[in-house]
Structures are given as C-alpha cells and as structure tokens.
Amino acid sequence: MPELPEVETTVRGLAPVLEGQRIERVLLNRADLRRPFPVDLGQRLTGATVTGLARRAKYGLIYTDRADTLVFHLGMSGRWRIDPADLGKHDHVVIETARHRLALNDPRRFGSMDLVPTAELEAWPAFKALGPEPLGPDFTAAHLVAAFADRIAPVKALLLDQRIVAGLGNIYVCEALFLAGIAPTKPAGAIGRAKLEKLVEAVPEVLQAAIRAGGSTLRDYARPDGELGYFAKEWRVYGREGEPCSCGRLVQRRVDSGRSTFHCAKCQR
C-alpha cells in the first residue's frame, strides 16, 4: 500500500501540472472505488480552478477556488497517470484541464475520492482523530512521552496508530525503529526520553530519504510520471530477512497482527 512518502511524491508530481489550472472536464468511468463517489463530484469540480495541493497523513488534497477540496486515497494500487496516451479499464477517474489529462488508475479499487468543504477538513471524520504529521513541528519527543505513558503495547503497534502519528506505515516504522536502535516489540511506556529523541529524529530522516528516492516500489506503485520509486534499494532491515545487518547479525522477521516486522536483535534493544 502506498505510504506517506509515496503520497507526498504523488502530490509533488501533480502540483506543477494542476496548480492554477481550470478543470475543464471530469469523467467518472464507474460509480465508486472503495466507496461511492459524491453524487455531485463532476458538477462541483467542472469549471473550478485548482489553487493548491497538499498531503494529510496518507491522503492527497487538491484545493479549489470553490471552497471545496478533493481528497484522494490511493488504497493498495492507486496512482495518477499524467497525459496517458490511451485510457485503460482501470482509469476510473479522469480530470482534464486545457493543458493536461490526469487519470486515477486503481486496479484493486481500494482507493477513495471525496469532495469536502475546505473549511470542514479538520472536522472531516477521516481527519478528526489524526495525530500530528511526522514531518511537522508537532511531532516531538514530548508528544511521544505523553502518548506512550504507561502503555505496555509494543512501540511499533503504537507508531502505526494514526491517532498517535498520522501517516506512518509498516515499511517506514521498521526502518525508523532500526535507525533509532529500538526493538519493535519493546513496550512503548518503557522507552526512555533519550531513545524517543532519537526516534523523533529517525522518523523524518527515513521519510525524507524515501521522498527523495520517489518512494518504495511495491506491487503497482509508480510516481505520476510513470517512474518507479527506488527507496527499496536503501532499506536497512525491511524485506531483508536472513540478510546480514550492518553489524553482521542476520535480519530477523516476525509477524504481528498479520504484518511483517523486520529488525536486528543486536542493534535494536
């Protein structure tokens, strides 16, 4: 599933194509993805001008001058295609401006698309309970100290809780915990302030490196320009079960709640 760096990469790829452009036509080739499209989606978008783009957690935001924001989620296999030569059966939503055609391609149809009044974004159910952005100023050691206080749940599980940190996913949590030297199974409440300081530095370091690399290529993910992300080449532990860690110990894999966790038992305590 595309995680925060993949969504950030997507938004940055769409921005120079969409920002300041008037939407001339919206074509819906089906009635839904994971859930139905807003019934008036095409009507409210047609004729609107895109005023900016952003990301919140794993959602992309396309702001318009009609005080509406198009909110999209890429699900497991979604990606935007810019100026495709031909439209395929999985190009479910097409947005056209005077200069470009953009197609949301989603073979598994686990993505979503909503149109939310911009003034109501913070109160929108999917956003209301989200924690701070891991690339923002509110993601601090003090925040984690408070969120982890007296918690016996494993630190990895809590970092994946979107109410604690918005947008973190399995790959980048595994990588950040390795960089911070924290065992993924360690009870969150037992982690000292010094380690949490390292974690707060490790999380954005891993995310920014992934964004620079265009994300990680998993299954169908590709950037809007069609290029594949190559951060997978920089993984220190994720997907490297049985391979040597930089310390020489073999990387281990365990399964927690159906998700693979990769770690080094020597480097992470």
Side-chain angles (χ1 to χ4, degrees):
M1 177 179 292
E3 296 187 18
L4 186 155
E6 288 76 41
V7 180
E8 182 70 26
T9 299
T10 294
V11 168
R12 294 184 185 187
L14 293 176
V17 174
L18 273 180
E19 197 160 1
Q21 298 301 306
R22 182 178 184 272
I23 297 173
E24 304 286 346
R25 181 175 180 235
V26 178
L27 176 63
L28 303 178
N29 292 323
R30 57 179 298 114
D32 59 6
L33 290 176
R34 185 174 63 207
R35 57 178 177 270
F37 297 128
V39 293
D40 55 353
L41 179 66
Q43 178 183 355
R44 288 166 65 186
L45 284 180
T46 302
T49 296
V50 176
T51 57
L53 291 90
R55 176 196 53 76
R56 179 67 169 118
K58 300 178 187 178
Y59 292 85
L61 309 177
I62 301 175
Y63 301 106
T64 75
D65 65 347
R66 291 184 176 174
D68 284 326
T69 298
L70 182 64
V71 182
F72 66 85
H73 193 286
L74 297 174
M76 293 183 67
S77 60
R79 67 183 182 97
W80 285 97
R81 300 203 298 148
I82 297 176
D83 295 328
D86 297 294
L87 294 177
K89 66 177 182 178
H90 299 306
D91 291 320
H92 304 307
V93 180
V94 180
I95 295 176
E96 295 181 352
T97 69
R99 298 180 180 179
H100 297 282
R101 170 193 281 177
L102 294 94
L104 180 61
N105 185 282
D106 188 357
R108 293 182 176 84
R109 301 199 305 273
F110 285 127
S112 64
M113 184 170 285
D114 297 276
L115 198 57
V116 182
T118 304
E120 300 175 13
L121 273 175
E122 290 187 11
W124 190 52
F127 289 174
K128 189 175 182 179
L130 287 176
E133 287 285 328
L135 296 177
D138 295 329
F139 180 60
T140 63
H143 168 71
L144 291 184
V145 167
F148 291 172
D150 301 321
R151 300 292 296 271
I152 62 173
V155 60
K156 185 193 172 196
L158 293 191
L159 288 175
L160 291 173
D161 186 336
Q162 301 298 291
R163 297 168 298 181
I164 294 177
V165 189
L168 290 185
N170 198 39
I171 296 173
Y172 302 105
V173 167
C174 286
E175 290 291 298
L177 286 171
F178 172 78
L179 199 59
I182 300 172
T185 54
K186 191 175 182 68
I191 302 173
R193 176 86 181 217
K195 280 284 190 179
L196 292 180
E197 294 279 2
K198 290 184 178 180
L199 181 59
V200 165
E201 294 177 358
V203 167
E205 180 177 338
V206 167
L207 293 176
Q208 293 285 17
I211 291 168
R212 288 193 298 271
S216 298
T217 299
L218 287 176
R219 298 185 181 177
D220 304 308
Y221 173 71
R223 301 185 316 209
D225 60 7
E227 293 296 316
L228 301 178
Y230 56 90
F231 185 66
K233 296 179 180 178
E234 300 180 28
W235 288 345
R236 296 173 174 89
V237 287
Y238 190 86
R240 295 189 56 210
E241 178 186 13
E243 297 180 25
C245 169
S246 56
C247 71
R249 180 78 67 90
L250 297 184
V251 173
Q252 298 178 14
R253 171 181 173 269
R254 55 180 289 135
V255 177
D256 301 297
S257 302
R259 289 174 171 164
S260 293
T261 297
F262 298 90
H263 65 106
C264 174
K266 182 178 179 181
C267 294
Q268 295 173 254
R269 303 285 184 176

